Amino acid sequence: MDNNIDYQTLIDELRAQSAIDLIALAFVQTSQLDYVLKWQYASGNINNRYKRVVLQSGKGIAGLVYKSGKPMYIKDITDNIITDLYNYPIVVSEDLKRLVAFPIFEGQQDKVKGVILLGNRDTKTSELKDYQHVYTLFLKQISASGFNGVSW
């Protein structure tokens, strides 16, 4: 994570310019013996429960994107993970119905440093292209810090 970037202001501005209900950022942190991901920034959140979520690699939205290094797009939560919502705490706490999560890579390396989640509370608001556009704008803003993104 680059401390020279005001992530909160950046995601607030991106959300204000789009039809996206929630933009959240999770970054990798070292734990006692492993790495964990924590949602550290959110814009459009309906509560602050996201701050208490700590995910292991491969667990939850951020953990799966971190482990695979690939984006995750869920067009309708009820069609995809309704029986397993316990393992997706941000989906439950923010009442998300549609989302996409993209990995954030450090520099030209293939090492994932974080995850950006873009979500909506209904299934009719944003399409994949809308999410990709916001993700592209996000990457442009942080590109000076040595981060880059992933393409579909």
Side-chain angles (χ1 to χ4, degrees):
M1 178 172 60
D2 189 324
N3 294 328
N4 295 326
I5 297 173
D6 183 352
Y7 287 106
Q8 189 63 55
T9 300
L10 174 57
I11 63 174
D12 287 341
E13 290 173 359
L14 289 171
R15 193 178 62 79
Q17 299 168 13
S18 68
I20 294 171
D21 294 329
L22 174 74
I23 299 177
L25 295 173
F27 288 100
V28 177
Q29 299 178 346
T30 56
S31 183
Q32 285 182 338
L33 300 172
D34 205 358
Y35 292 97
V36 296
L37 287 110
K38 288 188 75 171
W39 296 107
Q40 294 177 312
Y41 302 94
S43 179
N45 50 305
I46 56 177
N47 59 58
N48 286 325
R49 289 185 217 154
Y50 74 91
K51 292 179 180 180
R52 294 192 306 257
V53 176
V54 178
L55 300 166
Q56 302 295 322
S57 175
K59 303 291 184 190
I61 302 289
L64 290 168
V65 172
Y66 170 74
K67 185 175 182 177
S68 70
K70 296 181 181 186
M72 174 187 284
Y73 176 54
I74 301 176
K75 188 172 184 174
D76 187 345
I77 294 295
T78 58
D79 290 344
N80 288 282
I81 60 173
I82 193 153
T83 60
D84 197 21
L85 285 178
Y86 173 77
N87 291 314
Y88 301 89
I90 197 160
V91 171
V92 174
S93 68
E94 291 297 328
D95 194 28
L96 298 176
K97 304 295 186 236
R98 176 178 284 188
L99 64 91
V100 66
F102 296 97
I104 304 168
F105 292 100
E106 181 177 22
Q108 298 301 317
Q109 303 170 18
D110 287 335
K111 187 171 184 173
V112 178
K113 287 294 188 180
V115 173
I116 181 171
L117 178 130
L118 310 168
N120 287 94
R121 295 185 179 93
D122 64 53
T123 58
K124 297 177 177 68
T125 308
S126 298
E127 295 295 328
L128 181 57
K129 64 180 174 53
D130 301 317
Y131 294 127
Q132 289 171 319
H133 176 71
V134 172
Y135 176 61
T136 301
L137 292 174
F138 174 79
L139 292 177
K140 285 180 183 177
Q141 293 294 318
I142 66 168
S143 64
S145 69
F147 279 86
N148 67 13
V150 65
S151 60
W152 285 66

